Amino acid sequence: MKSLLLYVAFVMCLVNWECGNREVKEEKFVIEGQVENCNTFMKVAVVDIEKGKEREIASTIVSNGAFRLEGKVEGHVMGELRFRKGTVDFVTVKLMLENASYQVKMVSPEEVRKTDDVFQRRQMVSVKGPKGQEELSEYENEVWDAERDLNNKLKASAFSWVGNLPEDSVKKANAEIQMLEAKFQGISESFIKRHPNYFVSAYLVEKELNTFFQYTAEEQQARLRLVENNPDTVRVNRMKRVWPGMLKYARLCDYTDFEVQNVKGDTVRLSELMTKNKYLLIDFWASWCGPCRKAIPHVRELYREYPKELQVFSVSLDEKQEEWKKAMAEEKMEWMQLRCAGEMLRDVAMGYRLSSIPYLVLLNPEGKVMCATNSVDDVINQLKNALKD
């Protein structure tokens, strides 16, 4: 009996030793922060920004220059810490959220007000946290200049639609944006390749995996392989589950057939109208869409420049046939005109991820989707590069 008691005592000691030396995993995140000389009302919120859907997790008010936020997340989640005055985000910084402790410091609101540059304001907030946060900071430092240049150019060109700028200026601005986007993307991809086990790398790969018609299946699969041993197993497993369903939205995937109405009111399928051995441009538009009608002259230029290589279909989303036909007459569109509305639109929206117009889809002669975009310039570049080859 004495031997049994000694054995039990020994086992209990082992258990207690193991528990005492095992790393304790936090069950919630805690963000403690200080704001220098904060004499004004300010709200602080933590927002989940995963997959483009914002969800406020926790919020509080800065009191006597300090604040504390608590909440819980599953795994690692990309979020933002937002300092708000009224309904306006005063300063915003990224967080790689996990159930751990964070320490935040911000300079005085008066100092922040001295600049309107969101990037300079971001530098006025320091965040210390777990390994995932350190990795995120390393990534942000690396892409900082490229991201800022791209952001500034996008802001400057945002007025091109309403500012009635000359066409050459708009084209030049779009070309500069594409160049800056390519630069930013190149730096980001280089970072992922050098740090495939960073939590932020897995986030970036998943973000690109959820884009449509941007990358081939082979390119996406190569990205997924880069992070397959990433410690963010929740995200990696989620990507592996989603991957098969995303193949139908990969660049150079097979086109989706759908029904349309011709000018006579007959219902036909897209496949019945396609000509073999030709590229096909499908321009989704509507009579009430100003940007769509502004893009029509560019579609006309493509139609006239490549009569032997390219078919062009304009597919109106107008509900009322008379409005469609009136706009057709006004725009003098001499290429094939079709309409897709009501129940017909469902297959198009799902097959091509159509959510806004103008929306242009370019198919190669084999019926593969080369691009699906809101920009005519993207189509022009894709077509010219393809015909060069």
Side-chain angles (χ1 to χ4, degrees), residues 9 42 87 153 250 364:
M42 185 179 293
T87 58
K153 190 63 187 179
N364 69 13

Side-chain angles (χ1 to χ4, degrees), residues 13 55 110 114 145 147 168 216 235 249 253 275 309:
C13 286
R55 179 179 66 89
E110 288 75 17
K114 292 180 181 179
D145 290 337
E147 186 182 11
D168 288 346
T216 65
R235 194 182 299 277
Y249 301 120
C253 67
T275 300
E309 300 93 347

Side-chain angles (χ1 to χ4, degrees), residues 99-118:
N99 295 324
S101 297
Y102 297 77
Q103 294 78 44
V104 178
K105 288 185 178 181
M106 190 179 89
V107 301
S108 68
E110 288 75 17
E111 189 68 24
V112 175
R113 287 194 196 97
K114 292 180 181 179
T115 179
D116 291 327
D117 188 305
V118 295

Side-chain angles (χ1 to χ4, degrees), residues 186-386:
I187 296 172
S188 185
E189 289 184 1
S190 173
F191 183 91
I192 295 169
K193 289 177 181 177
R194 286 182 283 111
H195 307 290
N197 290 328
Y198 278 18
F199 289 102
V200 66
S201 295
Y203 164 78
L204 293 169
V205 169
E206 184 179 36
K207 187 178 179 182
E208 292 302 311
L209 183 65
N210 289 312
T211 58
F212 305 108
F213 309 112
Q214 296 293 312
Y215 306 100
T216 65
E218 292 77 16
E219 288 170 337
Q220 290 286 43
Q221 191 170 38
R223 280 188 175 86
L224 191 53
R225 283 175 181 157
L226 272 175
V227 296
E228 61 184 352
N229 295 318
N230 191 284
D232 192 348
T233 54
V234 172
R235 194 182 299 277
V236 172
N237 289 336
R238 184 168 64 224
M239 284 191 280
K240 288 179 178 178
R241 290 195 303 269
V242 169
W243 160 249
M246 291 301 295
L247 289 175
K248 60 184 176 183
Y249 301 120
R251 185 172 178 270
L252 298 181
C253 67
D254 292 332
Y255 81 99
T256 297
D257 201 4
F258 58 93
E259 290 186 339
V260 288
Q261 280 188 346
N262 60 23
V263 291
K264 296 179 181 179
D266 300 324
T267 298
V268 294
R269 296 194 70 79
L270 180 73
S271 54
E272 298 173 36
L273 306 172
M274 294 169 65
T275 300
K276 290 183 178 180
N277 302 319
K278 273 195 172 187
Y279 291 88
L280 170 62
L281 172 60
I282 309 169
D283 173 24
F284 294 100
W285 71 292
S287 63
W288 43 262
C289 171
C292 297
R293 298 186 71 157
K294 193 172 181 179
I296 288 173
H298 302 288
V299 175
R300 180 180 289 110
E301 287 176 14
L302 286 170
Y303 173 74
R304 292 178 177 176
E305 188 174 353
Y306 302 105
K308 294 181 181 179
E309 300 93 347
L310 180 68
Q311 265 189 302
V312 178
F313 298 165
S314 281
V315 180
S316 170
L317 307 187
D318 280 291
E319 289 290 338
K320 296 181 179 179
Q321 192 174 38
E322 58 271 21
E323 293 178 356
W324 168 45
K325 290 190 173 182
K326 179 185 175 188
M328 269 195 293
E330 290 172 350
E331 297 292 348
K332 298 180 175 60
M333 296 185 282
E334 63 264 37
W335 54 93
M336 186 172 292
Q337 301 298 311
L338 304 164
R339 188 167 74 100
C340 184
E343 288 296 317
M344 289 181 177
L345 190 55
R346 182 177 55 192
D347 291 341
V348 177
M350 287 299 298
Y352 295 100
R353 308 305 296 185
L354 173 61
S355 60
S356 62
I357 52 176
Y359 194 64
L360 301 106
V361 178
L362 182 65
L363 308 183
N364 69 13
E366 290 75 41
K368 308 289 186 182
V369 180
M370 294 177 64
C371 73
T373 176
N374 300 111
S375 170
V376 181
D377 290 335
D378 289 345
V379 173
I380 293 171
N381 292 335
Q382 288 276 350
L383 188 60
K384 285 186 175 180
N385 289 335

Side-chain angles (χ1 to χ4, degrees), residues 115-121 147-163 165 173 177 180-181:
T115 179
D116 291 327
D117 188 305
V118 295
F119 286 84
Q120 287 184 17
R121 287 189 171 192
E147 186 182 11
R148 183 183 57 194
D149 292 344
L150 175 58
N151 182 72
N152 290 340
K153 190 63 187 179
L154 287 170
K155 284 175 62 177
S157 64
F159 300 99
S160 62
W161 285 106
V162 295
L165 293 177
I177 288 172
L180 291 171
E181 285 176 338

Side-chain angles (χ1 to χ4, degrees), residues 1-10:
M1 184 68 178
K2 186 177 180 181
S3 298
L4 178 60
L5 289 173
L6 288 172
Y7 175 75
V8 171
F10 175 72

